[in-house]
Amino acid sequence: MRRYPPIADHGLIGDLRTAALISSQGVLDWFCAPRFDSPSLFAALLDHDRGGHFTITAQAPVATTRQLYLADTAILITRFMTEDGVGEVVDFMPLGDAESPPDQHRVIRVMRVTRGALRFRLECRPRFGYARQEHRLETTAGTARFTGPDTTAFLYVGGPGGLVELGADGHDVQTSLSLRQGERAAAVLTVCHNSDARPPEPLTEEGVRHAFSSTYDHWLGWIRHSTYRGRWQQMVNRSAITLKLMTYAPTGAPVAAVTAGLPEQLGGERNWDYRYTWVRDASLSVKALLDLGYAAEADGFRRWLGARVAAGSTVTGEPLQIMYRVDGDPHLPEQVLDHMEGYRGSAPVRVGNDAAGQLQLDIYGEVAYAMSHARDLAHLAGYDGWRNLSSLLDWLAHSWDRPDEGVWETRGGRKDFTFSRVMCWAAFDRGIRLATELARPADVAGWTAARDAIFHQVMTRGYSTRREAFVQHYGGEVLDASLLLMPEVGFLSPRDRRWLSTLDAIETDLVVDSFVYRYDPDASPDGLSGDEGTFSLCSFLYAGALARAGRGGLARYAFDKMLTYANHVGLFAEEIGPTGEQLGNFPQAFTHVALILAALALDEELNHTGT
């Protein structure tokens, strides 16, 4: 077991309530339950010694590994090739049914040998509550019960001869078992959010087969609903499945990533918790989902978003805050896990996120942008929903002209960020369209006046005649990749001369061999030490902007090159580091949204030009 595998050296499995990461060595080193944002049960990815892990790997002097997904599913296969044989571990999480307890989650790990013989080594070392809570161990033949203060985990291991004896190693268990060609065994970990939980019935071999078949059929059935038939179907499908895996089914709210604390710079302090729902990221995913044919997922998030608009924020005093927990809870207090080493020594390890209290005015535009894509907004939101949205825009008409912290959640003080103004413009633009199309009562005159005032302000104060480009904030000349969304939201034509010169300036300042930085922190201090890599989200936004600008050849080059930096199973973390490694929380939903949008824009441009 490597002390810290590369961030990208993982596949993702999940049950639409939580998720787990499994390395290409067969190590499950990140898993939180019962929800994405719950305390961890396994977190060796953040502390090899203390974090806990669930390992199934080949017990052989030399083993070559390969990891892959069963096509168009969330079923992960880790294959081990040794001198004596070839074996594999098939990992998945059943999605549950009406009879499954909502706080019960299962990770099923099937071992099998396809050639020769292989000996598997199994270790299960849970560490409850971010490795801060002690647990008790009880074992019987083939079973183990790990009991923490408020969570219980049950492990069953069954092989060809029945239950496999589990050896206690302190409060953990380990064992090994040999399989020959055609034989299989299964380890089933059931996690219950209850310290008094009763042991579930062990899954029989037939039960494991049924769980596998139902999971396999579910994912194939889900991906068949995709309407995408473009040039990059495999990558778009994988991105769609990844977004689905990162969506909390009970509420329809997607998380930004399934991890916390993974560094944007190795050894640096830019280590944040992304296991929450950002209004911005999720709102922009609505168009991507709808364009792929997933109206139910888009509508589910909009209902969640509508409830946030109706409730307001009890934390910031503003009508909305930038992020929430998946159940809509606005409280995300940030704390440091100072007992954890951090990924490869990258500390502090943070959970919670104080950025939830920031002022970011762009979110109001993203809310209106998401709602304007509804197939039937009148049915989806109803009268109360429209009243809440119109009240929000009435408030914004008197509140948009303020400095804020900006889209990147910098901690260097508030400024008049151009992107925030652009998205406030988008809020009024979409609101006016909706009021007109739905014939709903609204202060259209007031909204129009605000929209036009913002437009003139951005064009005069947000555009640098010296740089011939739109800039990050008023009074400065620093560029910002967030502005790549200006044509996407309709603020400017993608072939407007000011936009084309901005695209050229971004290429000069922020693009390195098609990879795009968010901004230059040296030129625009963000209140944090250290550097960061190129943002994969921005790189895909750049490819999409090039396509919409009619630069199809450059766009295709940039897009195809970015795809080569996906990991071995098609997933992206937040950033690409200076040596090509993936950095930051993993996988990042917004990057996969941008990938889908760029693919759609490219297909449209290339179809138009016949290339």
Side-chain angles (χ1 to χ4, degrees):
M1 179 180 175
R2 288 169 295 187
R3 188 166 179 82
Y4 289 106
I7 290 171
D9 191 33
H10 292 84
L12 175 73
I13 61 173
D15 63 1
L16 309 185
R17 286 172 171 79
T18 188
L21 293 181
I22 299 169
S23 79
S24 66
Q25 287 190 319
V27 181
L28 194 163
D29 53 16
W30 181 259
F31 178 64
C32 301
R35 300 190 325 201
F36 296 106
D37 57 350
S38 298
S40 62
L41 184 65
F42 301 109
L45 197 55
L46 293 180
D47 193 305
H48 173 86
D49 298 324
R50 301 180 184 89
H53 61 91
F54 179 16
T55 297
I56 301 180
T57 192
Q59 190 170 325
V62 179
T64 301
T65 65
R66 185 185 176 201
Q67 197 173 56
L68 64 151
Y69 280 113
L70 284 181
D72 290 340
T73 76
I75 297 174
L76 188 68
I77 298 175
T78 306
R79 188 166 293 153
F80 303 94
M81 290 160 279
T82 72
E83 291 183 354
D84 297 323
V86 177
E88 57 190 28
V89 178
V90 180
D91 287 302
F92 62 98
M93 292 182 69
L95 302 180
D97 50 40
E99 298 178 359
S100 301
D103 61 349
Q104 177 177 295
H105 307 271
R106 273 182 169 163
V107 176
I108 298 181
R109 314 196 68 186
V110 178
M111 296 156 274
R112 66 176 188 169
V113 172
T114 57
R115 292 186 181 182
L118 190 68
R119 189 169 184 83
F120 290 93
R121 177 174 60 85
L122 181 152
E123 296 180 21
C124 189
R125 304 182 183 278
R127 297 293 182 266
F128 293 81
Y130 300 121
R132 293 181 297 190
Q133 300 172 346
E134 299 293 332
H135 69 271
R136 302 191 313 274
L137 170 68
E138 303 168 59
T139 61
T140 57
T143 68
R145 175 182 178 133
F146 307 92
T147 305
D150 53 16
T151 304
T152 306
F154 300 92
L155 176 66
Y156 297 91
V157 182
L163 292 176
V164 176
E165 186 71 28
L166 297 175
D169 182 13
H171 295 291
D172 308 318
V173 297
Q174 60 183 2
T175 192
S176 60
L177 63 158
S178 297
L179 299 177
R180 294 174 296 185
Q181 183 172 323
E183 292 182 332
R184 64 186 68 210
V188 180
L189 180 73
T190 304
V191 181
C192 304
H193 192 56
N194 183 348
S195 59
D196 298 322
R198 298 180 58 185
E201 288 294 323
L203 281 183
T204 63
E205 182 176 354
E206 182 58 34
V208 171
R209 289 180 183 273
H210 174 74
F212 173 88
S213 297
S214 62
T215 305
Y216 181 76
D217 291 344
H218 170 87
W219 287 109
L220 285 186
W222 186 81
I223 205 64
R224 285 194 197 103
H225 286 93
S226 173
T227 57
Y228 181 76
R229 299 295 181 268
R231 293 167 177 79
W232 295 278
Q233 189 166 353
Q234 183 176 357
M235 286 300 296
V236 168
N237 283 359
R238 179 51 53 198
S239 290
I241 290 171
T242 303
L243 294 177
K244 180 68 172 176
L245 276 171
M246 295 167 65
T247 300
Y248 185 63
T251 64
V255 295
V258 303
T259 58
L262 292 182
E264 296 174 15
Q265 180 188 32
L266 293 177
E269 67 169 330
R270 299 169 184 257
N271 317 312
W272 314 110
D273 189 346
Y274 278 16
R275 298 170 301 152
Y276 309 113
T277 300
W278 266 254
V279 169
R280 172 190 315 109
D281 303 27
S283 294
L284 291 173
S285 73
V286 167
K287 184 178 186 300
L289 290 168
L290 288 175
D291 285 347
L292 297 182
Y294 293 110
E297 283 76 7
D299 288 350
F301 169 69
R302 279 188 293 236
R303 290 188 179 92
W304 179 92
L305 183 60
R308 306 288 76 72
V309 172
S313 173
T314 59
V315 174
T316 65
E318 302 283 329
L320 279 176
Q321 61 188 59
I322 68 170
M323 71 180 91
Y324 299 84
R325 294 187 181 275
V326 290
D327 62 356
D329 185 346
H331 298 93
L332 288 77
E334 187 172 292
Q335 58 178 301
V336 171
L337 303 181
D338 53 14
H339 64 290
M340 281 193 165
E341 176 184 39
Y343 178 83
R344 293 176 59 181
S346 301
V349 175
R350 298 181 178 92
V351 293
N353 201 313
D354 281 346
Q358 288 190 351
L359 173 66
Q360 295 180 23
L361 292 168
D362 65 282
I363 62 174
Y364 299 104
E366 284 121 19
V367 168
Y369 187 73
M371 300 304 287
S372 68
H373 286 289
R375 294 171 302 159
D376 185 358
L377 184 64
H379 172 73
L380 179 69
Y383 171 71
D384 291 334
W386 172 255
R387 187 175 61 179
N388 291 333
L389 180 61
S390 62
S391 295
L392 186 70
L393 293 178
D394 289 341
W395 171 87
L396 188 62
H398 303 285
S399 306
W400 62 267
D401 198 8
R402 294 181 289 164
D404 66 354
E405 271 91 2
V407 62
W408 302 125
E409 291 153 26
T410 60
R411 302 192 179 191
R414 294 181 178 180
K415 296 182 177 69
D416 291 310
F417 285 101
T418 304
F419 181 75
S420 297
R421 299 299 200 275
V422 168
M423 293 310 297
C424 287
W425 174 93
F428 294 117
D429 176 69
R430 294 313 190 276
I432 293 165
R433 293 188 194 186
L434 288 171
T436 303
E437 292 172 5
L438 299 176
R440 290 293 184 266
D443 182 14
V444 173
W447 297 355
T448 301
R451 181 199 64 185
D452 294 348
I454 296 170
F455 185 84
H456 288 305
Q457 188 188 86
V458 170
M459 297 302 290
T460 56
R461 298 181 62 193
Y463 184 81
S464 167
T465 55
R466 191 187 75 81
R467 296 298 312 272
E468 295 186 328
F470 291 96
V471 292
Q472 184 184 62
H473 57 80
Y474 297 169
E477 294 193 340
V478 176
L479 301 182
D480 193 304
S482 65
L483 298 174
L484 289 165
L485 282 165
M486 290 177 78
E488 173 69 26
V489 301
F491 187 86
L492 285 175
S493 163
R495 306 192 187 193
D496 181 284
R497 67 174 182 84
R498 285 183 175 83
W499 174 246
L500 293 178
S501 63
T502 299
L503 201 53
D504 292 337
I506 287 174
E507 181 176 1
T508 300
D509 278 27
L510 300 181
V511 180
V512 178
D513 195 25
S514 80
F515 302 116
V516 182
Y517 289 93
R518 295 188 298 177
Y519 54 88
D520 180 356
D522 291 331
S524 179
D526 56 13
L528 298 167
S529 63
D531 299 316
E532 60 185 24
T534 58
F535 256 57
S536 296
L537 155 68
C538 298
S539 298
F540 283 120
L541 291 180
Y542 176 62
L546 287 172
R548 295 182 189 92
R551 302 175 180 180
L554 289 173
R556 185 164 194 168
Y557 171 82
F559 184 79
D560 283 340
K561 184 152 192 174
M562 269 305 298
L563 294 186
T564 68
Y565 282 81
N567 82 341
H568 55 289
V569 290
L571 304 181
F572 284 93
E574 187 174 24
E575 299 183 15
I576 303 294
T579 60
E581 76 278 23
Q582 294 203 31
L583 295 173
N585 283 306
F586 177 88
Q588 194 202 29
F590 210 170
T591 296
H592 287 276
V593 169
L595 185 157
I596 293 169
L597 293 174
L600 292 166
L602 257 172
D603 279 321
E604 183 178 351
E605 172 63 19
L606 297 177
N607 290 342
H608 175 71
T609 59
T611 57

